[in-house]
Amino acid sequence: MLRLSTLEAWREFAKSQRASGRTIGLVPTMGALHAGHESLFDAARSRHDLVIATIFVNPRQFNDENDLRAYPRTPELDERAALEHGVDCLVEPTLEEMWPEYPNETPTTVSVAGVGDILEGAGRPGHFNGVASVVAKIFAITGECRAYFGEKDFQQIAVIRQMVHDLALDVEVVSCPIVRDADGLALSSRNARLSDEARIRATAFSRALANAQSHAASANEMRALMRETLEGEGIDVAYADVVDPVSLESTSDDEAGERRALLAGVLDGVRLIDNAPVMVRARRG
Ligand code: PAF
């Protein structure tokens, strides 16, 4: 596995590989890799001649200094996971390489209005500007490719798709299913920060979604049901919403059809999110 850290070497490598006719599968990450990331490597591996993974803990997408400081870093394990899951090139740029002016001057910012302003965007101001800006840069350096993202960050995928569309970037975004632990908890690098007791209560997220999926209910009934399940475990709910899967606009209570349920809440000081497809029925009467 080739390891690179400079933007120039990364750009040249991707360019030369494409020139030799190879297709590129790109997996951008912030490290602390788990089976969810590994499933993205596997998906990219199955479709491409070359898999490039990036690891960069992007400070611009953290609206909370403590969250950035507490973000888990596991470089040796990450390297092994990338190697074992067929990554050909692991790029780990330094902060000086990616954002040389940061934090003294704010570099160019990509802001995806609409889908980037609601839900996580409203609760974590600046978060999606940081995500879109770093992903735009990662795409610009890599060039034409397919890029793989996990559906646990469902809104992140919607924001990136909108950005790719609006800026006509030469990248196809591929979304991959959420990977869950046996008890239903969606894998996340943040789970490592939960106490044993909070880890058990965190299963309320997947239980809330399963309840919503198994009840024929209107959008508002689903919202109430999911909120109740989360609050029952002492989770401070940021939102429990039912939305259009593309625009992420809230579903009104008289609509029916396939929607996405999105949850966010704070448990033990750790912000967790989860989501699932749901079928809503129109409110009766
Ligand atoms: O999902 C992540 O790990 C990050 O938001 C991403 C897409 C790598 C951008 O920093």
Side-chain angles (χ1 to χ4, degrees), residues 27-31 37 40 54-59 61-62 71 127-128 130-132 134-135 138 148-150 153 156 160 189:
V27 186
T29 81
M30 297 205 298
H37 298 107
L40 304 180
T54 65
I55 296 182
F56 177 63
V57 181
N58 172 35
Q61 69 187 76
F62 288 82
Y71 202 80
H127 169 64
F128 283 125
V131 170
V134 80
V135 172
I138 290 169
Y148 292 75
F149 297 92
D153 295 299
Q156 170 170 279
I160 293 170
S189 306

PDB file of all heavy atoms in Angstrom, residues 27-31 37 40 54-59 61-62 71 127-128 130-132 134-135 138 148-150 153 156 160 189, ligand 1:
ATOM      1  N   VAL A  27     -12.320   6.893  -1.086  1.00  0.00           N
ATOM      2  CA  VAL A  27     -13.035   6.829   0.193  1.00  0.00           C
ATOM      3  C   VAL A  27     -12.445   7.879   1.144  1.00  0.00           C
ATOM      4  O   VAL A  27     -11.420   7.634   1.790  1.00  0.00           O
ATOM      5  CB  VAL A  27     -12.949   5.416   0.831  1.00  0.00           C
ATOM      6  CG1 VAL A  27     -13.836   5.361   2.082  1.00  0.00           C
ATOM      7  CG2 VAL A  27     -13.356   4.323  -0.146  1.00  0.00           C
ATOM      8  N   PRO A  28     -13.098   9.042   1.245  1.00  0.00           N
ATOM      9  CA  PRO A  28     -12.607  10.061   2.176  1.00  0.00           C
ATOM     10  C   PRO A  28     -13.033   9.731   3.607  1.00  0.00           C
ATOM     11  O   PRO A  28     -14.203   9.399   3.835  1.00  0.00           O
ATOM     12  CB  PRO A  28     -13.305  11.362   1.712  1.00  0.00           C
ATOM     13  CG  PRO A  28     -13.927  11.042   0.384  1.00  0.00           C
ATOM     14  CD  PRO A  28     -14.194   9.572   0.410  1.00  0.00           C
ATOM     15  N   THR A  29     -12.125   9.789   4.565  1.00  0.00           N
ATOM     16  CA  THR A  29     -12.468   9.487   5.968  1.00  0.00           C
ATOM     17  C   THR A  29     -11.727  10.453   6.905  1.00  0.00           C
ATOM     18  O   THR A  29     -10.832  11.175   6.487  1.00  0.00           O
ATOM     19  CB  THR A  29     -12.064   8.049   6.391  1.00  0.00           C
ATOM     20  OG1 THR A  29     -10.666   8.030   6.713  1.00  0.00           O
ATOM     21  CG2 THR A  29     -12.354   7.020   5.314  1.00  0.00           C
ATOM     22  N   MET A  30     -12.116  10.369   8.176  1.00  0.00           N
ATOM     23  CA  MET A  30     -11.362  11.094   9.204  1.00  0.00           C
ATOM     24  C   MET A  30     -10.645  10.099  10.118  1.00  0.00           C
ATOM     25  O   MET A  30     -10.311  10.430  11.256  1.00  0.00           O
ATOM     26  CB  MET A  30     -12.297  11.996  10.013  1.00  0.00           C
ATOM     27  CG  MET A  30     -12.936  13.071   9.136  1.00  0.00           C
ATOM     28  SD  MET A  30     -13.441  14.535  10.052  1.00  0.00           S
ATOM     29  CE  MET A  30     -14.644  13.840  11.142  1.00  0.00           C
ATOM     30  N   GLY A  31     -10.428   8.883   9.624  1.00  0.00           N
ATOM     31  CA  GLY A  31      -9.722   7.886  10.432  1.00  0.00           C
ATOM     32  C   GLY A  31     -10.612   7.295  11.500  1.00  0.00           C
ATOM     33  O   GLY A  31     -11.841   7.347  11.398  1.00  0.00           O
ATOM     34  N   HIS A  37     -16.408   1.920   7.665  1.00  0.00           N
ATOM     35  CA  HIS A  37     -15.425   2.382   6.667  1.00  0.00           C
ATOM     36  C   HIS A  37     -14.935   1.201   5.821  1.00  0.00           C
ATOM     37  O   HIS A  37     -14.748   1.330   4.609  1.00  0.00           O
ATOM     38  CB  HIS A  37     -14.204   3.012   7.350  1.00  0.00           C
ATOM     39  CG  HIS A  37     -14.518   4.227   8.170  1.00  0.00           C
ATOM     40  ND1 HIS A  37     -14.507   4.206   9.541  1.00  0.00           N
ATOM     41  CD2 HIS A  37     -14.850   5.485   7.816  1.00  0.00           C
ATOM     42  CE1 HIS A  37     -14.812   5.412  10.003  1.00  0.00           C
ATOM     43  NE2 HIS A  37     -15.030   6.207   8.982  1.00  0.00           N
ATOM     44  N   LEU A  40     -16.965   0.476   2.992  1.00  0.00           N
ATOM     45  CA  LEU A  40     -16.772   1.422   1.879  1.00  0.00           C
ATOM     46  C   LEU A  40     -15.541   1.024   1.058  1.00  0.00           C
ATOM     47  O   LEU A  40     -15.558   1.076  -0.179  1.00  0.00           O
ATOM     48  CB  LEU A  40     -16.587   2.856   2.398  1.00  0.00           C
ATOM     49  CG  LEU A  40     -17.698   3.415   3.296  1.00  0.00           C
ATOM     50  CD1 LEU A  40     -17.366   4.847   3.729  1.00  0.00           C
ATOM     51  CD2 LEU A  40     -19.041   3.390   2.592  1.00  0.00           C
ATOM     52  N   THR A  54      -8.534   8.506   2.010  1.00  0.00           N
ATOM     53  CA  THR A  54      -7.882   9.632   2.671  1.00  0.00           C
ATOM     54  C   THR A  54      -8.250   9.622   4.152  1.00  0.00           C
ATOM     55  O   THR A  54      -9.364   9.243   4.524  1.00  0.00           O
ATOM     56  CB  THR A  54      -8.299  10.986   2.061  1.00  0.00           C
ATOM     57  OG1 THR A  54      -9.702  11.184   2.299  1.00  0.00           O
ATOM     58  CG2 THR A  54      -8.028  11.039   0.569  1.00  0.00           C
ATOM     59  N   ILE A  55      -7.296  10.029   4.969  1.00  0.00           N
ATOM     60  CA  ILE A  55      -7.553  10.218   6.400  1.00  0.00           C
ATOM     61  C   ILE A  55      -7.134  11.638   6.740  1.00  0.00           C
ATOM     62  O   ILE A  55      -5.952  11.994   6.614  1.00  0.00           O
ATOM     63  CB  ILE A  55      -6.755   9.223   7.266  1.00  0.00           C
ATOM     64  CG1 ILE A  55      -7.203   7.776   6.997  1.00  0.00           C
ATOM     65  CG2 ILE A  55      -6.915   9.571   8.746  1.00  0.00           C
ATOM     66  CD1 ILE A  55      -6.490   6.726   7.845  1.00  0.00           C
ATOM     67  N   PHE A  56      -8.098  12.440   7.126  1.00  0.00           N
ATOM     68  CA  PHE A  56      -7.777  13.812   7.531  1.00  0.00           C
ATOM     69  C   PHE A  56      -8.850  14.276   8.506  1.00  0.00           C
ATOM     70  O   PHE A  56     -10.027  14.345   8.139  1.00  0.00           O
ATOM     71  CB  PHE A  56      -7.728  14.738   6.304  1.00  0.00           C
ATOM     72  CG  PHE A  56      -7.474  16.181   6.658  1.00  0.00           C
ATOM     73  CD1 PHE A  56      -6.286  16.562   7.273  1.00  0.00           C
ATOM     74  CD2 PHE A  56      -8.438  17.147   6.403  1.00  0.00           C
ATOM     75  CE1 PHE A  56      -6.052  17.892   7.622  1.00  0.00           C
ATOM     76  CE2 PHE A  56      -8.211  18.484   6.750  1.00  0.00           C
ATOM     77  CZ  PHE A  56      -7.027  18.855   7.350  1.00  0.00           C
ATOM     78  N   VAL A  57      -8.459  14.548   9.737  1.00  0.00           N
ATOM     79  CA  VAL A  57      -9.413  15.066  10.722  1.00  0.00           C
ATOM     80  C   VAL A  57      -9.517  16.565  10.446  1.00  0.00           C
ATOM     81  O   VAL A  57      -8.624  17.337  10.780  1.00  0.00           O
ATOM     82  CB  VAL A  57      -8.959  14.765  12.171  1.00  0.00           C
ATOM     83  CG1 VAL A  57      -9.999  15.291  13.157  1.00  0.00           C
ATOM     84  CG2 VAL A  57      -8.765  13.265  12.376  1.00  0.00           C
ATOM     85  N   ASN A  58     -10.600  16.915   9.780  1.00  0.00           N
ATOM     86  CA  ASN A  58     -10.760  18.261   9.232  1.00  0.00           C
ATOM     87  C   ASN A  58     -11.281  19.227  10.301  1.00  0.00           C
ATOM     88  O   ASN A  58     -12.472  19.191  10.631  1.00  0.00           O
ATOM     89  CB  ASN A  58     -11.770  18.170   8.067  1.00  0.00           C
ATOM     90  CG  ASN A  58     -12.161  19.521   7.543  1.00  0.00           C
ATOM     91  OD1 ASN A  58     -11.347  20.442   7.510  1.00  0.00           O
ATOM     92  ND2 ASN A  58     -13.409  19.638   7.116  1.00  0.00           N
ATOM     93  N   PRO A  59     -10.433  20.111  10.816  1.00  0.00           N
ATOM     94  CA  PRO A  59     -10.896  20.956  11.933  1.00  0.00           C
ATOM     95  C   PRO A  59     -12.021  21.895  11.529  1.00  0.00           C
ATOM     96  O   PRO A  59     -12.806  22.317  12.373  1.00  0.00           O
ATOM     97  CB  PRO A  59      -9.636  21.760  12.302  1.00  0.00           C
ATOM     98  CG  PRO A  59      -8.764  21.717  11.098  1.00  0.00           C
ATOM     99  CD  PRO A  59      -9.058  20.423  10.402  1.00  0.00           C
ATOM    100  N   GLN A  61     -14.746  21.343  10.114  1.00  0.00           N
ATOM    101  CA  GLN A  61     -16.119  20.847  10.223  1.00  0.00           C
ATOM    102  C   GLN A  61     -16.558  20.603  11.674  1.00  0.00           C
ATOM    103  O   GLN A  61     -17.636  20.099  11.910  1.00  0.00           O
ATOM    104  CB  GLN A  61     -16.321  19.600   9.367  1.00  0.00           C
ATOM    105  CG  GLN A  61     -15.600  18.353   9.840  1.00  0.00           C
ATOM    106  CD  GLN A  61     -15.721  17.235   8.828  1.00  0.00           C
ATOM    107  OE1 GLN A  61     -15.056  17.251   7.790  1.00  0.00           O
ATOM    108  NE2 GLN A  61     -16.565  16.250   9.106  1.00  0.00           N
ATOM    109  N   PHE A  62     -15.664  20.975  12.624  1.00  0.00           N
ATOM    110  CA  PHE A  62     -16.024  20.834  14.040  1.00  0.00           C
ATOM    111  C   PHE A  62     -16.440  22.207  14.551  1.00  0.00           C
ATOM    112  O   PHE A  62     -15.634  23.134  14.528  1.00  0.00           O
ATOM    113  CB  PHE A  62     -14.827  20.321  14.847  1.00  0.00           C
ATOM    114  CG  PHE A  62     -14.512  18.876  14.596  1.00  0.00           C
ATOM    115  CD1 PHE A  62     -13.769  18.496  13.485  1.00  0.00           C
ATOM    116  CD2 PHE A  62     -14.969  17.887  15.456  1.00  0.00           C
ATOM    117  CE1 PHE A  62     -13.484  17.156  13.237  1.00  0.00           C
ATOM    118  CE2 PHE A  62     -14.683  16.554  15.213  1.00  0.00           C
ATOM    119  CZ  PHE A  62     -13.946  16.184  14.105  1.00  0.00           C
ATOM    120  N   TYR A  71     -11.887  13.798  19.337  1.00  0.00           N
ATOM    121  CA  TYR A  71     -12.106  12.885  18.203  1.00  0.00           C
ATOM    122  C   TYR A  71     -11.052  11.771  18.239  1.00  0.00           C
ATOM    123  O   TYR A  71      -9.850  12.047  18.325  1.00  0.00           O
ATOM    124  CB  TYR A  71     -12.049  13.648  16.868  1.00  0.00           C
ATOM    125  CG  TYR A  71     -12.778  12.875  15.797  1.00  0.00           C
ATOM    126  CD1 TYR A  71     -14.157  12.928  15.700  1.00  0.00           C
ATOM    127  CD2 TYR A  71     -12.087  12.031  14.928  1.00  0.00           C
ATOM    128  CE1 TYR A  71     -14.846  12.180  14.755  1.00  0.00           C
ATOM    129  CE2 TYR A  71     -12.768  11.279  13.984  1.00  0.00           C
ATOM    130  CZ  TYR A  71     -14.144  11.366  13.908  1.00  0.00           C
ATOM    131  OH  TYR A  71     -14.821  10.609  12.990  1.00  0.00           O
ATOM    132  N   HIS A 127     -20.792  23.399  10.255  1.00  0.00           N
ATOM    133  CA  HIS A 127     -20.354  22.013  10.059  1.00  0.00           C
ATOM    134  C   HIS A 127     -20.318  21.633   8.578  1.00  0.00           C
ATOM    135  O   HIS A 127     -19.294  21.174   8.062  1.00  0.00           O
ATOM    136  CB  HIS A 127     -21.268  21.066  10.835  1.00  0.00           C
ATOM    137  CG  HIS A 127     -21.085  19.622  10.495  1.00  0.00           C
ATOM    138  ND1 HIS A 127     -19.915  18.958  10.742  1.00  0.00           N
ATOM    139  CD2 HIS A 127     -21.919  18.719   9.898  1.00  0.00           C
ATOM    140  CE1 HIS A 127     -20.025  17.702  10.318  1.00  0.00           C
ATOM    141  NE2 HIS A 127     -21.229  17.538   9.803  1.00  0.00           N
ATOM    142  N   PHE A 128     -21.431  21.853   7.881  1.00  0.00           N
ATOM    143  CA  PHE A 128     -21.461  21.402   6.482  1.00  0.00           C
ATOM    144  C   PHE A 128     -20.611  22.288   5.567  1.00  0.00           C
ATOM    145  O   PHE A 128     -20.159  21.818   4.522  1.00  0.00           O
ATOM    146  CB  PHE A 128     -22.904  21.293   5.972  1.00  0.00           C
ATOM    147  CG  PHE A 128     -23.592  20.049   6.475  1.00  0.00           C
ATOM    148  CD1 PHE A 128     -24.795  20.125   7.153  1.00  0.00           C
ATOM    149  CD2 PHE A 128     -23.025  18.790   6.282  1.00  0.00           C
ATOM    150  CE1 PHE A 128     -25.425  18.980   7.617  1.00  0.00           C
ATOM    151  CE2 PHE A 128     -23.640  17.637   6.756  1.00  0.00           C
ATOM    152  CZ  PHE A 128     -24.842  17.734   7.420  1.00  0.00           C
ATOM    153  N   GLY A 130     -17.699  23.238   6.434  1.00  0.00           N
ATOM    154  CA  GLY A 130     -16.399  22.590   6.615  1.00  0.00           C
ATOM    155  C   GLY A 130     -16.321  21.293   5.835  1.00  0.00           C
ATOM    156  O   GLY A 130     -15.316  21.001   5.186  1.00  0.00           O
ATOM    157  N   VAL A 131     -17.401  20.509   5.874  1.00  0.00           N
ATOM    158  CA  VAL A 131     -17.434  19.234   5.140  1.00  0.00           C
ATOM    159  C   VAL A 131     -17.336  19.500   3.642  1.00  0.00           C
ATOM    160  O   VAL A 131     -16.495  18.928   2.938  1.00  0.00           O
ATOM    161  CB  VAL A 131     -18.729  18.435   5.454  1.00  0.00           C
ATOM    162  CG1 VAL A 131     -18.863  17.241   4.515  1.00  0.00           C
ATOM    163  CG2 VAL A 131     -18.745  17.972   6.899  1.00  0.00           C
ATOM    164  N   ALA A 132     -18.208  20.398   3.134  1.00  0.00           N
ATOM    165  CA  ALA A 132     -18.244  20.644   1.687  1.00  0.00           C
ATOM    166  C   ALA A 132     -16.903  21.200   1.213  1.00  0.00           C
ATOM    167  O   ALA A 132     -16.408  20.812   0.151  1.00  0.00           O
ATOM    168  CB  ALA A 132     -19.380  21.610   1.351  1.00  0.00           C
ATOM    169  N   VAL A 134     -13.833  20.749   2.489  1.00  0.00           N
ATOM    170  CA  VAL A 134     -12.760  19.752   2.452  1.00  0.00           C
ATOM    171  C   VAL A 134     -13.040  18.695   1.375  1.00  0.00           C
ATOM    172  O   VAL A 134     -12.123  18.251   0.669  1.00  0.00           O
ATOM    173  CB  VAL A 134     -12.499  19.116   3.841  1.00  0.00           C
ATOM    174  CG1 VAL A 134     -13.502  18.033   4.181  1.00  0.00           C
ATOM    175  CG2 VAL A 134     -11.086  18.561   3.920  1.00  0.00           C
ATOM    176  N   VAL A 135     -14.297  18.306   1.220  1.00  0.00           N
ATOM    177  CA  VAL A 135     -14.615  17.274   0.218  1.00  0.00           C
ATOM    178  C   VAL A 135     -14.396  17.854  -1.192  1.00  0.00           C
ATOM    179  O   VAL A 135     -13.884  17.163  -2.079  1.00  0.00           O
ATOM    180  CB  VAL A 135     -16.043  16.715   0.417  1.00  0.00           C
ATOM    181  CG1 VAL A 135     -16.442  15.796  -0.726  1.00  0.00           C
ATOM    182  CG2 VAL A 135     -16.125  15.948   1.743  1.00  0.00           C
ATOM    183  N   ILE A 138     -10.729  17.577  -1.724  1.00  0.00           N
ATOM    184  CA  ILE A 138     -10.338  16.170  -1.929  1.00  0.00           C
ATOM    185  C   ILE A 138     -10.721  15.731  -3.354  1.00  0.00           C
ATOM    186  O   ILE A 138      -9.947  15.065  -4.046  1.00  0.00           O
ATOM    187  CB  ILE A 138     -11.011  15.274  -0.849  1.00  0.00           C
ATOM    188  CG1 ILE A 138     -10.378  15.552   0.517  1.00  0.00           C
ATOM    189  CG2 ILE A 138     -10.903  13.795  -1.212  1.00  0.00           C
ATOM    190  CD1 ILE A 138     -11.124  14.922   1.700  1.00  0.00           C
ATOM    191  N   TYR A 148     -17.117   7.136  -2.281  1.00  0.00           N
ATOM    192  CA  TYR A 148     -17.980   6.286  -1.459  1.00  0.00           C
ATOM    193  C   TYR A 148     -18.181   6.898  -0.074  1.00  0.00           C
ATOM    194  O   TYR A 148     -17.206   7.248   0.604  1.00  0.00           O
ATOM    195  CB  TYR A 148     -17.354   4.882  -1.335  1.00  0.00           C
ATOM    196  CG  TYR A 148     -17.361   4.165  -2.656  1.00  0.00           C
ATOM    197  CD1 TYR A 148     -16.448   4.516  -3.659  1.00  0.00           C
ATOM    198  CD2 TYR A 148     -18.293   3.174  -2.937  1.00  0.00           C
ATOM    199  CE1 TYR A 148     -16.485   3.880  -4.900  1.00  0.00           C
ATOM    200  CE2 TYR A 148     -18.325   2.540  -4.173  1.00  0.00           C
ATOM    201  CZ  TYR A 148     -17.419   2.899  -5.144  1.00  0.00           C
ATOM    202  OH  TYR A 148     -17.454   2.289  -6.368  1.00  0.00           O
ATOM    203  N   PHE A 149     -19.467   6.993   0.338  1.00  0.00           N
ATOM    204  CA  PHE A 149     -19.801   7.539   1.653  1.00  0.00           C
ATOM    205  C   PHE A 149     -20.846   6.653   2.321  1.00  0.00           C
ATOM    206  O   PHE A 149     -21.689   6.057   1.641  1.00  0.00           O
ATOM    207  CB  PHE A 149     -20.377   8.957   1.520  1.00  0.00           C
ATOM    208  CG  PHE A 149     -19.404   9.949   0.941  1.00  0.00           C
ATOM    209  CD1 PHE A 149     -19.370  10.189  -0.431  1.00  0.00           C
ATOM    210  CD2 PHE A 149     -18.508  10.632   1.757  1.00  0.00           C
ATOM    211  CE1 PHE A 149     -18.456  11.090  -0.980  1.00  0.00           C
ATOM    212  CE2 PHE A 149     -17.602  11.536   1.219  1.00  0.00           C
ATOM    213  CZ  PHE A 149     -17.577  11.766  -0.152  1.00  0.00           C
ATOM    214  N   GLY A 150     -20.820   6.614   3.652  1.00  0.00           N
ATOM    215  CA  GLY A 150     -21.763   5.779   4.400  1.00  0.00           C
ATOM    216  C   GLY A 150     -23.059   6.525   4.687  1.00  0.00           C
ATOM    217  O   GLY A 150     -23.050   7.723   5.003  1.00  0.00           O
ATOM    218  N   ASP A 153     -24.291   9.025   7.756  1.00  0.00           N
ATOM    219  CA  ASP A 153     -24.309  10.487   7.598  1.00  0.00           C
ATOM    220  C   ASP A 153     -25.169  10.811   6.379  1.00  0.00           C
ATOM    221  O   ASP A 153     -24.668  11.264   5.349  1.00  0.00           O
ATOM    222  CB  ASP A 153     -22.879  11.004   7.447  1.00  0.00           C
ATOM    223  CG  ASP A 153     -22.073  10.771   8.710  1.00  0.00           C
ATOM    224  OD1 ASP A 153     -22.460  11.299   9.750  1.00  0.00           O
ATOM    225  OD2 ASP A 153     -21.084  10.015   8.653  1.00  0.00           O
ATOM    226  N   GLN A 156     -25.100  14.366   5.132  1.00  0.00           N
ATOM    227  CA  GLN A 156     -23.798  14.681   4.513  1.00  0.00           C
ATOM    228  C   GLN A 156     -23.794  14.256   3.039  1.00  0.00           C
ATOM    229  O   GLN A 156     -23.301  14.981   2.170  1.00  0.00           O
ATOM    230  CB  GLN A 156     -22.694  13.962   5.281  1.00  0.00           C
ATOM    231  CG  GLN A 156     -21.339  14.007   4.606  1.00  0.00           C
ATOM    232  CD  GLN A 156     -20.222  13.514   5.493  1.00  0.00           C
ATOM    233  OE1 GLN A 156     -19.739  14.260   6.328  1.00  0.00           O
ATOM    234  NE2 GLN A 156     -19.800  12.270   5.340  1.00  0.00           N
ATOM    235  N   ILE A 160     -23.267  16.637  -0.198  1.00  0.00           N
ATOM    236  CA  ILE A 160     -22.186  16.396  -1.166  1.00  0.00           C
ATOM    237  C   ILE A 160     -22.768  16.203  -2.570  1.00  0.00           C
ATOM    238  O   ILE A 160     -22.234  16.733  -3.555  1.00  0.00           O
ATOM    239  CB  ILE A 160     -21.310  15.197  -0.720  1.00  0.00           C
ATOM    240  CG1 ILE A 160     -20.562  15.576   0.570  1.00  0.00           C
ATOM    241  CG2 ILE A 160     -20.319  14.799  -1.814  1.00  0.00           C
ATOM    242  CD1 ILE A 160     -19.850  14.424   1.251  1.00  0.00           C
ATOM    243  N   SER A 189     -17.374   6.439  14.753  1.00  0.00           N
ATOM    244  CA  SER A 189     -16.123   6.646  15.499  1.00  0.00           C
ATOM    245  C   SER A 189     -16.427   7.228  16.878  1.00  0.00           C
ATOM    246  O   SER A 189     -15.680   7.033  17.828  1.00  0.00           O
ATOM    247  CB  SER A 189     -15.212   7.590  14.722  1.00  0.00           C
ATOM    248  OG  SER A 189     -15.041   7.096  13.410  1.00  0.00           O
TER     249      SER A 189
HETATM  250  O1  PAF B   1     -17.660  11.503   7.023  1.00  0.00           O
HETATM  251  C1  PAF B   1     -16.513  11.902   7.315  1.00  0.00           C
HETATM  252  O2  PAF B   1     -15.689  11.173   7.881  1.00  0.00           O
HETATM  253  C2  PAF B   1     -16.124  13.330   6.994  1.00  0.00           C
HETATM  254  O3  PAF B   1     -17.184  14.207   7.171  1.00  0.00           O
HETATM  255  C3  PAF B   1     -15.511  13.497   5.569  1.00  0.00           C
HETATM  256  C4  PAF B   1     -16.535  13.178   4.492  1.00  0.00           C
HETATM  257  C5  PAF B   1     -14.315  12.590   5.420  1.00  0.00           C
HETATM  258  C6  PAF B   1     -15.057  14.955   5.376  1.00  0.00           C
HETATM  259  O4  PAF B   1     -14.099  15.317   6.317  1.00  0.00           O
END
